[in-house]
Amino acid sequence: MPGTNNVRAHRKLARITQAELGSICGVSRQSIVSVEGGDYAPSVYLALRLARALDTTVETLFGDEGESSS
């Protein structure tokens, strides 16, 4: 389910463009725009690639801070 995420913030911290991140991850700039905007929930594979490219974890990019772990 699409929603809020931290991809844009981490990309900006890494000082890379949407096009550069897309190229690193093997997707289009428009795919990155859609993920950052919360319009598209990436596959597990793409989420892992994004996390690796941004030197963080999938949980940091897409996790719900208020979600219980039980």
Side-chain angles (χ1 to χ4, degrees):
M1 167 194 229
T4 60
N5 62 64
N6 298 309
V7 175
R8 179 177 287 128
H10 281 269
R11 178 182 57 76
K12 288 186 178 230
L13 283 173
R15 301 181 79 172
I16 59 176
T17 67
Q18 292 169 330
E20 289 168 332
L21 181 57
S23 179
I24 292 165
C25 294
V27 298
S28 69
R29 181 192 67 81
Q30 189 58 42
S31 292
I32 300 301
V33 169
S34 294
V35 170
E36 286 185 355
D39 300 322
Y40 171 71
S43 66
V44 172
Y45 179 72
L46 178 53
L48 285 168
R49 291 185 68 115
L50 289 165
R52 287 186 186 130
L54 297 171
D55 196 29
T56 190
T57 64
V58 171
E59 293 82 4
T60 298
L61 291 180
F62 299 101
D64 183 0
E65 293 291 318
E67 198 172 279
S68 170
S69 60
S70 49

